[in-house]
Amino acid sequence: MSLDWNKAFDRVDIEFLLKVMTAFAFGGNFVALVKMLFTGICSRMCINHIMGNSINVERSVRQGCPLSMILYVIHQEPLYRLIRKSKVKSIKLPRQVSVGVVGYADDTNIIKQRIVSLKPSQ
């Protein structure tokens, strides 16, 4: 099953992201840097060379920022861990590699092993 999350980067809850990073033992300085970069920010739009009013950005990571994709994947990791713990069985790849859920940016693929029994023809 392939999932492409709708408006994924816009839906990142920064407070949740910071809690996940702390739970996963990211360094305190790095968590503080992410907090500084992504909380208390505002944006302005320029339309026809006219700057609009400031808009407070309460959630999301900036699209196009090199750090955003990595932060989004960290934000999704608790979901991936829940899927791995569920009854979705992973498939076995060569060299004993198991795959159950794979995430890349805002795409998630859940791979379920299908057991096919071969019955002899009658």
Side-chain angles (χ1 to χ4, degrees), residues 34-111:
V34 170
K35 183 175 183 176
M36 180 186 71
L37 290 173
F38 290 96
T39 57
I41 59 174
C42 62
S43 291
R44 294 175 69 184
M45 292 191 288
C46 181
I47 302 173
N48 295 329
H49 305 289
I50 299 172
M51 291 298 289
N53 295 331
S54 294
I55 302 168
N56 290 330
V57 179
E58 296 176 7
R59 63 177 185 190
S60 82
V61 289
R62 296 178 188 97
Q63 291 188 24
C65 171
L67 188 58
S68 292
M69 184 172 66
I70 297 166
L71 294 176
Y72 180 77
V73 171
I74 293 167
H75 182 265
Q76 288 292 95
E77 184 61 24
L79 172 65
Y80 299 158
R81 289 184 181 201
L82 284 173
I83 292 170
R84 286 185 194 110
K85 282 184 177 180
S86 73
K87 294 182 181 184
V88 175
K89 297 202 180 215
S90 61
I91 62 171
K92 300 286 184 199
L93 297 177
R95 298 190 178 132
Q96 303 300 319
V97 176
S98 294
V99 177
V101 62
V102 178
Y104 180 77
D106 64 344
D107 296 316
T108 300
N109 294 302
I110 301 170
I111 304 165

Side-chain angles (χ1 to χ4, degrees), residues 13-24:
D13 182 328
I14 299 302
E15 290 301 318
F16 178 75
L17 172 64
L18 296 172
K19 288 178 184 176
V20 170
M21 292 175 71
T22 302
F24 289 165

